[in-house]
Amino acid sequence: MKRSRRRPQPQQPSQNLDSFLDVLTNTVGVMIFVCLFASLTAAVSPALVRTPIARETRKQTYFFECRENRAIPLEEDKASEAIQAFFRRINTSPFVSPQQLQQQFNAFSYATRYYDVRLSLVTLGGQPIIQTLFQPRDPFAGETPATLDAPTSTFQQTLTRLSPSRHSLIFFVRPDGFDCFRAARTIAWQNGFDVGWEPMAADRAIIFVSGGGRRVTVQ
């Protein structure tokens, strides 16, 4: 007769793991909650854009104005040549009265492609100050961000004429010109130029004064 074999009894676990499973489940749940919270926070948080530190420059400065979402070169270098020629021919003898000298300055007029340039002589703290005013000839002149990078654009031709080792670019930026300024700055940086800028109110005139002023800084 065959002997009957005993079936092995299932082994019971030596210890209860319910507490460990509870801890593991809670930990995973907390990690999921943290991930969801981080994702939601990142979605609504503003992006931080690092701004390069401003520094002084001794390079020659070339000026642009950004308004109406357009970039316009002042061509201040050409105006300076005309002003220097004006200084060489005006009458500055001791017998000329202040009124006559003022009339000579008021009679000066020069036009770049985009600006009318005028001179005036004022007294500040007992010292004569020469003011150079750049008045736009056409409020809608200049180039938009979409056309700045074109090889035939005035902006690109200006950069080609200048040298990054000798020139830095300074932008006067109106409230409606920031998009154009950022596009122009990117192109200038790609071409190796230092760039500086100054925010200007919509109705503030562009006036250069003799005797120095705030130092030019670039980024």
Side-chain angles (χ1 to χ4, degrees), residues 10-39:
Q11 296 182 358
Q12 299 295 328
S14 59
Q15 61 182 3
N16 192 346
L17 300 179
D18 291 344
S19 299
F20 173 75
L21 293 177
D22 290 341
V23 173
L24 182 62
T25 302
N26 292 336
T27 302
V28 173
V30 171
M31 293 178 63
I32 294 175
F33 175 78
V34 170
C35 292
L36 290 175
F37 178 77
S39 299

Side-chain angles (χ1 to χ4, degrees), residues 79-99:
S80 295
E81 294 177 0
I83 293 172
Q84 292 299 326
F86 166 76
F87 287 157
R88 290 193 293 267
R89 64 174 182 268
I90 63 173
N91 187 356
T92 57
S93 69
F95 302 101
V96 176
S97 66
Q99 292 78 12

Side-chain angles (χ1 to χ4, degrees), residues 45-144:
S45 298
L48 298 180
V49 179
R50 296 186 180 274
T51 302
I53 298 176
R55 65 185 188 279
E56 295 183 5
T57 179
R58 296 184 179 276
K59 297 179 182 180
Q60 299 180 33
T61 51
Y62 197 91
F63 296 92
F64 291 84
E65 182 184 6
C66 291
R67 53 175 165 80
E68 296 289 345
N69 204 30
R70 297 171 180 269
I72 311 102
L74 265 66
E75 297 180 322
E76 188 263 348
D77 54 340
K78 297 181 180 179
S80 295
E81 294 177 0
I83 293 172
Q84 292 299 326
F86 166 76
F87 287 157
R88 290 193 293 267
R89 64 174 182 268
I90 63 173
N91 187 356
T92 57
S93 69
F95 302 101
V96 176
S97 66
Q99 292 78 12
Q100 292 174 325
L101 188 60
Q102 179 68 266
Q103 291 176 356
Q104 293 184 76
F105 274 85
N106 292 341
F108 174 84
S109 179
Y110 180 78
T112 68
R113 283 180 294 178
Y114 305 102
Y115 294 88
D116 288 325
V117 184
R118 304 301 298 267
L119 292 178
S120 62
L121 184 64
V122 299
T123 302
L124 183 62
Q127 297 294 327
I129 302 295
I130 301 173
Q131 293 184 335
T132 306
L133 169 66
F134 283 77
Q135 187 172 7
R137 300 174 62 187
D138 181 0
F140 300 102
E143 296 168 321
T144 63

Side-chain angles (χ1 to χ4, degrees), residues 65 67 133-134 136 173-176 200-207:
E65 182 184 6
R67 53 175 165 80
L133 169 66
F134 283 77
V173 186
R174 306 289 185 180
D176 54 5
M200 296 190 70
D203 56 349
R204 180 183 171 187
I206 298 178
I207 299 177

